[in-house]
Structures are given as structure tokens and as C-alpha cells.
Coordinates of all heavy atoms in Angstrom, one line a residue:
M1 N -2.8 37.4 -25.6 CA -3.6 37.2 -24.4 C -4.6 38.3 -24.2 O -5.7 38.0 -23.8 CB -2.6 37.2 -23.2 CG -3.2 37.0 -21.9 SD -1.9 36.7 -20.7 CE -2.6 37.2 -19.3
Y2 N -4.3 39.5 -24.5 CA -5.2 40.6 -24.3 C -5.8 41.2 -25.7 O -6.5 42.1 -25.7 CB -4.6 41.8 -23.5 CG -4.2 41.4 -22.1 CD1 -2.9 41.1 -21.8 CD2 -5.2 41.3 -21.2 CE1 -2.6 40.7 -20.5 CE2 -4.9 41.0 -19.9 CZ -3.6 40.6 -19.5 OH -3.3 40.3 -18.3
G3 N -5.4 40.6 -26.7 CA -5.9 41.0 -28.0 C -5.2 42.3 -28.5 O -4.2 42.8 -28.0
D4 N -5.8 43.0 -29.5 CA -5.3 44.2 -30.0 C -5.5 45.4 -29.1 O -4.8 46.4 -29.2 CB -6.0 44.5 -31.4 CG -5.6 43.5 -32.4 OD1 -4.5 42.9 -32.3 OD2 -6.4 43.3 -33.3
A5 N -6.4 45.3 -28.1 CA -6.7 46.5 -27.3 C -5.5 46.8 -26.4 O -5.3 48.0 -26.1 CB -7.9 46.1 -26.4
N6 N -4.7 45.8 -26.0 CA -3.5 46.1 -25.2 C -2.3 45.5 -25.8 O -1.7 44.6 -25.3 CB -3.7 45.5 -23.8 CG -4.8 46.1 -23.0 OD1 -4.9 47.3 -22.9 ND2 -5.7 45.3 -22.4
S7 N -1.9 46.0 -26.9 CA -0.8 45.5 -27.7 C 0.6 45.8 -27.1 O 1.5 45.3 -27.6 CB -0.9 46.0 -29.2 OG -0.8 47.4 -29.2
E8 N 0.6 46.6 -26.0 CA 1.9 46.9 -25.5 C 2.5 45.7 -24.6 O 3.6 45.6 -24.3 CB 1.9 48.1 -24.5 CG 1.1 47.9 -23.3 CD -0.4 48.3 -23.4 OE1 -0.8 48.6 -24.5 OE2 -1.1 48.3 -22.4
F9 N 1.6 44.7 -24.3 CA 2.0 43.5 -23.6 C 2.6 42.5 -24.6 O 2.1 42.2 -25.6 CB 0.9 42.8 -22.9 CG 0.3 43.7 -21.7 CD1 -0.9 44.3 -21.9 CD2 1.0 43.8 -20.6 CE1 -1.4 45.0 -20.8 CE2 0.5 44.5 -19.5 CZ -0.7 45.2 -19.6
N10 N 3.8 42.1 -24.3 CA 4.5 41.1 -25.1 C 5.2 40.1 -24.2 O 6.3 40.3 -23.8 CB 5.5 41.8 -26.0 CG 6.2 40.8 -27.0 OD1 5.7 39.7 -27.2 ND2 7.2 41.2 -27.6
F11 N 4.5 39.0 -23.9 CA 5.0 38.0 -22.9 C 5.8 37.0 -23.7 O 5.2 36.1 -24.3 CB 3.9 37.4 -22.2 CG 3.0 38.3 -21.4 CD1 1.8 38.7 -21.7 CD2 3.6 39.0 -20.3 CE1 1.0 39.6 -20.9 CE2 2.9 39.9 -19.5 CZ 1.6 40.2 -19.9
S12 N 7.1 37.0 -23.7 CA 7.9 36.0 -24.4 C 8.2 34.9 -23.4 O 8.0 35.0 -22.2 CB 9.2 36.7 -24.9 OG 10.0 37.1 -23.7
I13 N 8.8 33.8 -23.9 CA 9.2 32.7 -23.1 C 10.3 33.1 -22.1 O 10.3 32.7 -21.0 CB 9.7 31.5 -24.0 CG1 8.6 31.0 -24.9 CG2 10.3 30.4 -23.1 CD1 7.4 30.4 -24.1
G14 N 11.2 34.0 -22.5 CA 12.2 34.5 -21.7 C 11.7 35.3 -20.5 O 12.1 35.2 -19.4
W15 N 10.6 36.2 -20.8 CA 10.0 36.9 -19.8 C 9.3 36.0 -18.8 O 9.5 36.2 -17.6 CB 8.9 37.9 -20.4 CG 8.2 38.7 -19.4 CD1 8.6 39.9 -18.9 CD2 7.0 38.3 -18.7 NE1 7.7 40.3 -17.9 CE2 6.7 39.3 -17.8 CE3 6.2 37.2 -18.7 CZ2 5.6 39.3 -16.9 CZ3 5.1 37.1 -17.8 CH2 4.8 38.2 -17.0
L16 N 8.7 35.0 -19.2 CA 8.0 34.1 -18.3 C 9.0 33.3 -17.5 O 8.8 33.1 -16.3 CB 7.1 33.1 -19.1 CG 6.4 32.0 -18.3 CD1 5.4 32.7 -17.3 CD2 5.6 31.1 -19.2
K17 N 10.1 32.9 -18.1 CA 11.1 32.2 -17.3 C 11.7 33.1 -16.2 O 11.9 32.6 -15.1 CB 12.2 31.7 -18.3 CG 13.3 30.9 -17.7 CD 14.3 30.4 -18.8 CE 15.3 29.5 -18.2 NZ 16.3 29.1 -19.2
R18 N 12.0 34.3 -16.5 CA 12.6 35.2 -15.6 C 11.5 35.6 -14.5 O 11.9 35.7 -13.3 CB 13.1 36.5 -16.2 CG 14.3 36.3 -17.0 CD 14.9 37.6 -17.6 NE 14.0 38.4 -18.4 CZ 13.8 38.2 -19.7 NH1 14.5 37.3 -20.3 NH2 12.9 38.9 -20.3
F19 N 10.3 35.7 -14.8 CA 9.2 36.0 -13.9 C 9.1 34.8 -12.9 O 9.0 35.0 -11.6 CB 7.9 36.2 -14.6 CG 6.7 36.3 -13.7 CD1 6.4 37.6 -13.2 CD2 5.9 35.3 -13.3 CE1 5.4 37.8 -12.3 CE2 4.9 35.5 -12.4 CZ 4.6 36.7 -11.9
K20 N 9.1 33.6 -13.4 CA 9.1 32.4 -12.5 C 10.3 32.3 -11.6 O 10.2 32.0 -10.4 CB 8.9 31.1 -13.3 CG 7.5 31.0 -13.9 CD 7.3 29.9 -14.9 CE 8.2 28.7 -14.8 NZ 7.9 27.6 -15.8
A21 N 11.5 32.6 -12.1 CA 12.7 32.6 -11.3 C 12.7 33.7 -10.2 O 13.0 33.5 -9.1 CB 13.9 32.8 -12.2
R22 N 12.2 34.9 -10.6 CA 12.1 36.0 -9.7 C 11.2 35.7 -8.5 O 11.4 36.1 -7.4 CB 11.7 37.3 -10.4 CG 11.6 38.5 -9.6 CD 11.4 39.8 -10.5 NE 10.4 39.7 -11.5 CZ 10.6 39.6 -12.8 NH1 11.8 39.7 -13.3 NH2 9.6 39.6 -13.6
H23 N 10.1 35.0 -8.8 CA 9.1 34.7 -7.8 C 9.2 33.3 -7.2 O 8.3 32.8 -6.5 CB 7.7 35.0 -8.3 CG 7.4 36.4 -8.6 ND1 7.1 37.3 -7.7 CD2 7.5 37.1 -9.8 CE1 7.0 38.5 -8.2 NE2 7.2 38.4 -9.5
E24 N 10.3 32.6 -7.5 CA 10.6 31.2 -7.1 C 9.4 30.3 -7.4 O 9.0 29.5 -6.5 CB 10.9 31.3 -5.6 CG 12.2 32.1 -5.3 CD 12.5 32.1 -3.9 OE1 11.8 31.5 -3.0 OE2 13.5 32.7 -3.5
I25 N 8.9 30.4 -8.6 CA 7.8 29.5 -9.0 C 8.4 28.3 -9.7 O 9.2 28.5 -10.7 CB 6.8 30.2 -9.9 CG1 6.1 31.4 -9.1 CG2 5.7 29.3 -10.4 CD1 5.2 32.3 -9.9
K26 N 8.1 27.1 -9.3 CA 8.6 25.9 -9.9 C 7.5 24.9 -10.3 O 6.4 25.0 -9.7 CB 9.6 25.2 -9.0 CG 10.8 26.1 -8.6 CD 11.7 25.4 -7.7 CE 12.9 26.4 -7.3 NZ 13.6 25.9 -6.2
S27 N 7.9 24.0 -11.1 CA 6.9 22.9 -11.5 C 7.1 21.7 -10.6 O 8.2 21.3 -10.4 CB 7.1 22.5 -13.0 OG 6.3 21.4 -13.3
Y28 N 6.1 21.3 -10.0 CA 6.1 20.1 -9.1 C 5.2 19.0 -9.6 O 4.1 19.3 -10.1 CB 5.7 20.5 -7.6 CG 6.6 21.5 -7.0 CD1 6.4 22.9 -6.9 CD2 7.8 21.0 -6.4 CE1 7.3 23.7 -6.3 CE2 8.7 21.9 -5.8 CZ 8.4 23.2 -5.7 OH 9.3 24.1 -5.1
R29 N 5.6 17.8 -9.3 CA 4.8 16.7 -9.7 C 3.8 16.4 -8.6 O 4.1 16.3 -7.4 CB 5.7 15.4 -9.9 CG 5.0 14.2 -10.4 CD 6.0 13.1 -10.7 NE 5.4 12.1 -11.4 CZ 5.3 12.1 -12.7 NH1 5.7 13.1 -13.4 NH2 4.7 11.0 -13.3
R30 N 2.5 16.3 -9.0 CA 1.5 16.2 -8.0 C 1.2 14.8 -7.5 O 0.8 14.6 -6.4 CB 0.2 16.8 -8.6 CG 0.3 18.3 -8.8 CD -1.0 18.8 -9.4 NE -2.0 18.7 -8.4 CZ -3.3 18.7 -8.6 NH1 -3.7 19.0 -9.8 NH2 -4.2 18.6 -7.7
F31 N 1.4 13.8 -8.4 CA 1.1 12.5 -8.1 C 2.3 11.6 -8.3 O 3.2 11.9 -9.1 CB 0.0 11.9 -9.0 CG -1.2 12.7 -8.9 CD1 -1.6 13.6 -10.0 CD2 -2.0 12.7 -7.7 CE1 -2.8 14.3 -9.9 CE2 -3.2 13.5 -7.7 CZ -3.5 14.3 -8.7
G32 N 2.4 10.5 -7.5 CA 3.6 9.6 -7.6 C 3.5 8.7 -8.8 O 2.6 8.7 -9.6
E33 N 4.5 7.9 -8.9 CA 4.6 6.9 -10.0 C 3.7 5.8 -9.7 O 3.4 5.5 -8.6 CB 6.1 6.5 -10.1 CG 7.0 7.5 -10.5 CD 6.8 8.1 -11.9 OE1 6.5 7.2 -12.8 OE2 6.9 9.3 -12.2
S34 N 3.4 5.0 -10.8 CA 2.6 3.8 -10.6 C 3.3 2.7 -9.8 O 2.7 1.8 -9.3 CB 2.2 3.3 -12.0 OG 3.3 2.9 -12.8
G35 N 4.7 2.8 -9.7 CA 5.4 1.9 -9.0 C 5.2 2.0 -7.5 O 5.6 1.1 -6.7
S36 N 4.5 3.0 -7.0 CA 4.2 3.1 -5.6 C 3.0 2.4 -5.2 O 2.5 2.5 -4.1 CB 4.0 4.6 -5.3 OG 2.9 5.1 -6.0
V37 N 2.4 1.6 -6.1 CA 1.2 0.8 -5.8 C 1.6 -0.3 -4.9 O 2.6 -1.0 -5.1 CB 0.6 0.3 -7.1 CG1 -0.6 -0.7 -6.8 CG2 0.1 1.4 -7.9
V38 N 0.8 -0.6 -3.8 CA 1.0 -1.7 -2.9 C 0.4 -2.9 -3.5 O -0.8 -3.1 -3.6 CB 0.4 -1.4 -1.5 CG1 0.7 -2.5 -0.6 CG2 1.0 -0.1 -1.0
M39 N 1.3 -3.9 -3.9 CA 0.8 -5.1 -4.6 C -0.1 -6.0 -3.7 O -0.9 -6.6 -4.2 CB 2.0 -5.9 -5.1 CG 2.8 -5.2 -6.2 SD 1.7 -4.8 -7.6 CE 1.4 -6.4 -8.2
E40 N 0.2 -5.9 -2.4 CA -0.6 -6.7 -1.5 C -2.1 -6.3 -1.5 O -3.0 -7.2 -1.5 CB -0.1 -6.6 0.0 CG 1.2 -7.3 0.2 CD 2.4 -6.5 -0.3 OE1 2.3 -5.3 -0.3 OE2 3.4 -7.1 -0.5
N41 N -2.4 -5.0 -1.7 CA -3.7 -4.5 -1.8 C -4.4 -5.0 -3.0 O -5.6 -5.3 -3.0 CB -3.8 -3.0 -1.7 CG -3.3 -2.4 -0.4 OD1 -3.2 -3.1 0.6 ND2 -3.0 -1.1 -0.4
I42 N -3.6 -5.1 -4.1 CA -4.2 -5.6 -5.4 C -4.5 -7.0 -5.3 O -5.5 -7.5 -5.7 CB -3.2 -5.3 -6.5 CG1 -3.1 -3.8 -6.7 CG2 -3.7 -6.0 -7.8 CD1 -2.1 -3.3 -7.7
E43 N -3.6 -7.8 -4.7 CA -3.8 -9.2 -4.6 C -5.0 -9.6 -3.7 O -5.7 -10.5 -3.9 CB -2.5 -9.9 -4.0 CG -1.4 -9.9 -5.0 CD 0.0 -10.3 -4.3 OE1 0.0 -10.6 -3.1 OE2 1.0 -10.3 -5.1
D44 N -5.3 -8.7 -2.7 CA -6.4 -8.9 -1.8 C -7.7 -8.6 -2.6 O -8.8 -9.2 -2.3 CB -6.3 -8.0 -0.6 CG -5.2 -8.5 0.3 OD1 -4.7 -9.6 0.2 OD2 -4.8 -7.6 1.2
A45 N -7.7 -7.7 -3.5 CA -8.9 -7.2 -4.2 C -9.2 -8.1 -5.4 O -10.4 -8.2 -5.9 CB -8.7 -5.8 -4.7
L46 N -8.2 -8.9 -5.9 CA -8.5 -9.7 -7.1 C -9.6 -10.7 -7.0 O -10.4 -10.8 -7.9 CB -7.2 -10.4 -7.6 CG -6.2 -9.5 -8.4 CD1 -5.0 -10.3 -8.7 CD2 -6.9 -9.0 -9.7
P47 N -9.7 -11.4 -5.9 CA -10.9 -12.4 -5.8 C -12.2 -11.7 -5.9 O -13.2 -12.2 -6.5 CB -10.7 -13.0 -4.4 CG -9.2 -12.9 -4.2 CD -8.8 -11.6 -4.8
Q48 N -12.3 -10.5 -5.3 CA -13.6 -9.7 -5.4 C -13.9 -9.3 -6.8 O -15.0 -9.4 -7.2 CB -13.5 -8.5 -4.4 CG -13.3 -8.8 -3.0 CD -13.0 -7.6 -2.2 OE1 -13.0 -6.5 -2.7 NE2 -12.8 -7.8 -0.9
I49 N -12.9 -8.8 -7.5 CA -13.0 -8.4 -8.9 C -13.4 -9.6 -9.8 O -14.4 -9.5 -10.6 CB -11.8 -7.8 -9.4 CG1 -11.5 -6.4 -8.7 CG2 -11.9 -7.5 -10.9 CD1 -10.2 -5.8 -8.9
R50 N -12.8 -10.7 -9.6 CA -13.1 -11.9 -10.4 C -14.5 -12.4 -10.1 O -15.2 -12.9 -11.0 CB -12.1 -13.0 -10.0 CG -10.8 -12.8 -10.7 CD -9.8 -14.0 -10.5 NE -8.5 -13.7 -11.1 CZ -7.4 -13.6 -10.5 NH1 -7.3 -13.9 -9.2 NH2 -6.3 -13.3 -11.1
A51 N -15.0 -12.3 -8.8 CA -16.4 -12.7 -8.5 C -17.4 -11.8 -9.2 O -18.4 -12.3 -9.7 CB -16.6 -12.6 -7.0
K52 N -17.1 -10.5 -9.3 CA -18.0 -9.6 -10.0 C -18.0 -9.9 -11.5 O -19.0 -9.8 -12.2 CB -17.6 -8.2 -9.8 CG -17.9 -7.7 -8.4 CD -17.5 -6.3 -8.1 CE -17.8 -5.8 -6.7 NZ -17.4 -4.5 -6.5
L53 N -16.8 -10.2 -12.1 CA -16.7 -10.5 -13.5 C -17.4 -11.8 -13.9 O -17.8 -11.9 -15.1 CB -15.3 -10.6 -13.9 CG -14.5 -9.3 -13.9 CD1 -13.0 -9.5 -14.2 CD2 -15.1 -8.2 -14.8
E54 N -17.7 -12.7 -13.0 CA -18.4 -13.9 -13.3 C -19.8 -13.7 -13.7 O -20.4 -14.5 -14.4 CB -18.4 -14.9 -12.1 CG -17.0 -15.5 -11.9 CD -16.9 -16.4 -10.6 OE1 -18.0 -16.5 -9.9 OE2 -15.9 -17.0 -10.4
N55 N -20.3 -12.5 -13.4 CA -21.7 -12.2 -13.8 C -21.9 -11.7 -15.2 O -23.0 -11.5 -15.7 CB -22.3 -11.1 -12.8 CG -22.3 -11.5 -11.4 OD1 -22.6 -12.7 -11.1 ND2 -22.1 -10.6 -10.5
F56 N -20.7 -11.6 -15.9 CA -20.8 -11.1 -17.3 C -20.2 -12.1 -18.3 O -19.4 -13.0 -17.9 CB -19.9 -9.8 -17.4 CG -20.4 -8.7 -16.5 CD1 -19.9 -8.5 -15.3 CD2 -21.4 -7.9 -17.0 CE1 -20.4 -7.5 -14.5 CE2 -21.9 -6.8 -16.2 CZ -21.4 -6.6 -14.9
D57 N -20.6 -12.1 -19.5 CA -20.0 -12.9 -20.6 C -18.7 -12.3 -21.0 O -18.5 -11.1 -20.8 CB -21.0 -12.9 -21.8 CG -22.2 -13.7 -21.6 OD1 -22.2 -14.6 -20.7 OD2 -23.2 -13.3 -22.2
W58 N -17.8 -13.1 -21.5 CA -16.5 -12.7 -21.9 C -16.6 -11.6 -22.9 O -15.7 -10.7 -23.0 CB -15.6 -13.8 -22.4 CG -15.0 -14.6 -21.2 CD1 -15.4 -15.8 -20.8 CD2 -14.0 -14.2 -20.4 NE1 -14.7 -16.3 -19.7 CE2 -13.8 -15.3 -19.4 CE3 -13.1 -13.1 -20.3 CZ2 -12.8 -15.2 -18.5 CZ3 -12.2 -13.1 -19.3 CH2 -12.0 -14.1 -18.4
K59 N -17.6 -11.7 -23.8 CA -17.7 -10.7 -24.9 C -18.1 -9.3 -24.4 O -17.9 -8.3 -25.1 CB -18.7 -11.2 -25.9 CG -20.2 -11.2 -25.4 CD -21.1 -11.7 -26.5 CE -22.5 -11.8 -25.9 NZ -23.1 -10.6 -25.7
D60 N -18.5 -9.2 -23.1 CA -18.9 -7.9 -22.5 C -17.9 -7.3 -21.6 O -18.1 -6.3 -21.0 CB -20.2 -8.1 -21.7 CG -21.4 -8.5 -22.6 OD1 -21.4 -8.1 -23.8 OD2 -22.2 -9.3 -22.2
I61 N -16.7 -8.0 -21.5 CA -15.6 -7.5 -20.7 C -14.5 -6.9 -21.5 O -14.0 -7.5 -22.5 CB -15.1 -8.6 -19.8 CG1 -16.1 -9.2 -18.9 CG2 -13.9 -8.1 -19.0 CD1 -15.7 -10.4 -18.1
Y62 N -14.2 -5.6 -21.3 CA -13.2 -4.9 -22.0 C -12.0 -4.5 -21.2 O -12.2 -4.1 -20.0 CB -13.8 -3.7 -22.7 CG -14.9 -4.0 -23.7 CD1 -16.2 -4.0 -23.2 CD2 -14.6 -4.4 -25.0 CE1 -17.3 -4.3 -24.1 CE2 -15.6 -4.7 -25.8 CZ -17.0 -4.7 -25.4 OH -18.0 -5.0 -26.2
N63 N -10.8 -4.5 -21.7 CA -9.6 -4.0 -21.0 C -9.4 -2.6 -21.5 O -9.0 -2.4 -22.6 CB -8.4 -4.9 -21.3 CG -7.2 -4.5 -20.6 OD1 -7.2 -3.5 -19.8 ND2 -6.1 -5.1 -20.8
M64 N -9.6 -1.6 -20.6 CA -9.5 -0.2 -21.0 C -8.3 0.5 -20.4 O -8.3 1.7 -20.5 CB -10.8 0.5 -20.5 CG -12.1 -0.1 -21.1 SD -12.2 0.1 -22.9 CE -12.6 1.8 -23.0
D65 N -7.4 -0.2 -19.9 CA -6.2 0.5 -19.2 C -5.3 1.2 -20.2 O -4.6 2.2 -19.8 CB -5.4 -0.5 -18.4 CG -4.7 -1.5 -19.2 OD1 -5.2 -1.8 -20.3 OD2 -3.8 -2.1 -18.6
K66 N -5.3 0.9 -21.5 CA -4.4 1.5 -22.4 C -5.2 2.5 -23.3 O -4.6 3.0 -24.3 CB -3.7 0.5 -23.3 CG -2.9 -0.5 -22.6 CD -1.6 0.1 -22.0 CE -0.7 -0.9 -21.5 NZ -0.4 -0.8 -20.1
K67 N -6.4 2.8 -23.1 CA -7.2 3.7 -23.9 C -7.1 5.1 -23.4 O -6.8 5.4 -22.3 CB -8.7 3.3 -23.9 CG -8.9 1.8 -24.3 CD -8.4 1.6 -25.7 CE -8.6 0.2 -26.1 NZ -7.8 -0.2 -27.1
G68 N -7.3 6.0 -24.3 CA -7.2 7.4 -24.0 C -8.4 8.1 -23.4 O -9.0 9.0 -23.9
L69 N -8.9 7.5 -22.3 CA -10.0 8.1 -21.6 C -9.6 9.0 -20.5 O -9.5 8.6 -19.3 CB -10.9 7.0 -21.1 CG -11.5 6.0 -22.2 CD1 -12.3 4.9 -21.5 CD2 -12.4 6.7 -23.1
F70 N -9.3 10.2 -20.8 CA -8.7 11.2 -19.9 C -9.7 12.3 -19.6 O -9.3 13.4 -19.3 CB -7.4 11.7 -20.3 CG -6.4 10.6 -20.5 CD1 -5.9 10.3 -21.8 CD2 -5.9 9.9 -19.4 CE1 -4.9 9.4 -21.9 CE2 -5.0 8.9 -19.6 CZ -4.5 8.7 -20.8
Y71 N -11.0 12.0 -19.6 CA -12.0 13.0 -19.4 C -11.9 13.5 -17.9 O -11.9 12.7 -17.0 CB -13.4 12.5 -19.7 CG -14.5 13.4 -19.4 CD1 -14.7 14.5 -20.1 CD2 -15.4 13.2 -18.3 CE1 -15.7 15.4 -19.9 CE2 -16.4 14.0 -18.1 CZ -16.6 15.2 -18.9 OH -17.6 16.0 -18.6
R72 N -11.7 14.8 -17.7 CA -11.6 15.4 -16.4 C -10.4 14.9 -15.6 O -10.3 14.9 -14.4 CB -12.8 15.2 -15.6 CG -14.0 15.9 -16.1 CD -15.2 15.9 -15.2 NE -16.3 16.6 -15.7 CZ -17.5 16.7 -15.2 NH1 -17.6 16.1 -14.0 NH2 -18.4 17.3 -15.7
L73 N -9.3 14.5 -16.3 CA -8.1 14.0 -15.7 C -7.4 15.3 -15.1 O -7.2 16.2 -15.8 CB -7.2 13.3 -16.6 CG -5.9 12.8 -16.1 CD1 -6.2 11.6 -15.1 CD2 -5.0 12.3 -17.2
Q74 N -6.9 15.2 -13.9 CA -6.2 16.3 -13.3 C -4.8 16.3 -13.8 O -4.2 15.2 -14.1 CB -6.2 16.2 -11.8 CG -7.5 16.4 -11.1 CD -7.4 16.3 -9.6 OE1 -6.4 16.0 -9.0 NE2 -8.6 16.6 -8.9
A75 N -4.2 17.5 -13.9 CA -2.8 17.6 -14.3 C -1.9 16.9 -13.3 O -2.1 17.0 -12.1 CB -2.5 19.1 -14.5
D76 N -0.8 16.3 -13.8 CA 0.1 15.7 -12.9 C 1.2 16.6 -12.5 O 2.0 16.2 -11.6 CB 0.7 14.4 -13.5 CG 1.4 14.6 -14.8 OD1 1.4 15.7 -15.3 OD2 2.1 13.7 -15.2
H77 N 1.3 17.8 -13.1 CA 2.3 18.8 -12.7 C 1.5 20.1 -12.3 O 0.5 20.4 -12.8 CB 3.3 19.1 -13.8 CG 4.3 18.1 -13.9 ND1 4.1 16.9 -14.6 CD2 5.6 18.0 -13.5 CE1 5.1 16.1 -14.6 NE2 6.1 16.8 -13.9
S78 N 2.1 20.8 -11.4 CA 1.5 22.1 -11.0 C 2.6 23.1 -10.7 O 3.7 22.8 -10.4 CB 0.7 21.9 -9.7 OG 0.2 23.1 -9.3
L79 N 2.3 24.4 -10.9 CA 3.3 25.5 -10.6 C 2.9 26.0 -9.2 O 1.8 26.3 -8.9 CB 3.1 26.6 -11.6 CG 3.5 26.3 -13.1 CD1 3.2 27.5 -14.0 CD2 4.9 25.9 -13.2
A80 N 4.0 26.1 -8.4 CA 3.8 26.5 -7.0 C 5.1 27.1 -6.5 O 6.2 26.9 -7.1 CB 3.3 25.4 -6.2
T81 N 5.1 27.8 -5.4 CA 6.2 28.3 -4.7 C 6.8 27.4 -3.7 O 7.9 27.5 -3.3 CB 5.9 29.7 -4.1 OG1 4.9 29.5 -3.1 CG2 5.6 30.7 -5.1
K82 N 5.9 26.4 -3.3 CA 6.4 25.4 -2.3 C 5.9 24.0 -2.8 O 4.9 23.9 -3.4 CB 5.8 25.7 -0.9 CG 6.3 26.9 -0.3 CD 5.7 27.1 1.1 CE 6.1 28.4 1.7 NZ 5.5 28.7 3.0
H83 N 6.7 23.0 -2.4 CA 6.3 21.6 -2.7 C 5.1 21.2 -2.0 O 4.1 21.0 -1.9 CB 7.4 20.7 -2.4 CG 7.4 19.4 -3.2 ND1 6.5 19.1 -4.2 CD2 8.2 18.3 -3.1 CE1 6.7 17.9 -4.7 NE2 7.7 17.4 -4.0

């Protein structure tokens, strides 16, 4: 972490674990599960989405929900002293 200039620092996993316990730092989940989606909202939006898709050819429509596009994705866990 500090390079050769400060070689007296030796942060082990055990040190970090005890530091977090001493200061009551825990890992919290920031976002809920996908099961918390309100299906009625999706069903209301589907006709609007289908109307927009009618302007495109099928060859120009791609399903990207399973792709690894995580540019600037926020972390789903965070370290904090309170939830």
C-alpha cells in the first residue's frame, strides 16, 4: 500500500478483520433483489415499449440483459457502521 518507503506497515487479513470488528464496520447490501420489481409497472410499460420497437427492423433489435455491460456500475455492497 505504501511501497518500500513505509515498510513497517503490514496489513494482514486478520488485522483488517479485527479493525472492522473493533470499529463495528460491516458489509451491507445497497440494493434489493430483482424479485422486488413490481410486475404491474412492467405490464403497464410493455405496450409503450412495443410501440417504440415497431419503428425498427427485427435485425436491429438486440437483447442485452445477459451481457456484461457494467460500465460505471455501482457496487451492490458497501462498508459502513450503520445500515
Side-chain angles (χ1 to χ4, degrees):
M1 183 168 152
Y2 293 103
D4 294 334
N6 294 311
S7 60
E8 70 270 6
F9 292 107
N10 185 13
F11 301 111
S12 66
I13 297 297
W15 179 89
L16 181 60
K17 186 176 179 180
R18 289 187 302 274
F19 177 85
K20 288 175 19 181
R22 183 169 47 249
H23 295 281
E24 298 179 2
I25 298 173
K26 298 177 184 171
S27 177
Y28 293 100
R29 188 172 191 83
R30 296 182 61 198
F31 303 109
E33 296 292 323
S34 61
S36 64
V37 172
V38 179
M39 292 303 292
E40 290 80 24
N41 295 347
I42 294 173
E43 292 169 0
D44 293 341
L46 278 178
Q48 297 169 2
I49 294 171
R50 288 186 179 120
K52 289 180 182 180
L53 291 176
E54 288 178 357
N55 297 327
F56 299 95
D57 290 331
W58 281 105
K59 66 181 178 71
D60 296 327
I61 300 173
Y62 299 95
N63 181 3
M64 301 296 283
D65 65 338
K66 300 287 190 241
K67 303 299 178 204
L69 299 177
F70 298 114
Y71 178 67
R72 294 187 180 179
L73 180 69
Q74 292 183 354
D76 62 348
H77 283 82
S78 179
L79 294 176
T81 56
K82 296 181 182 177
H83 201 7

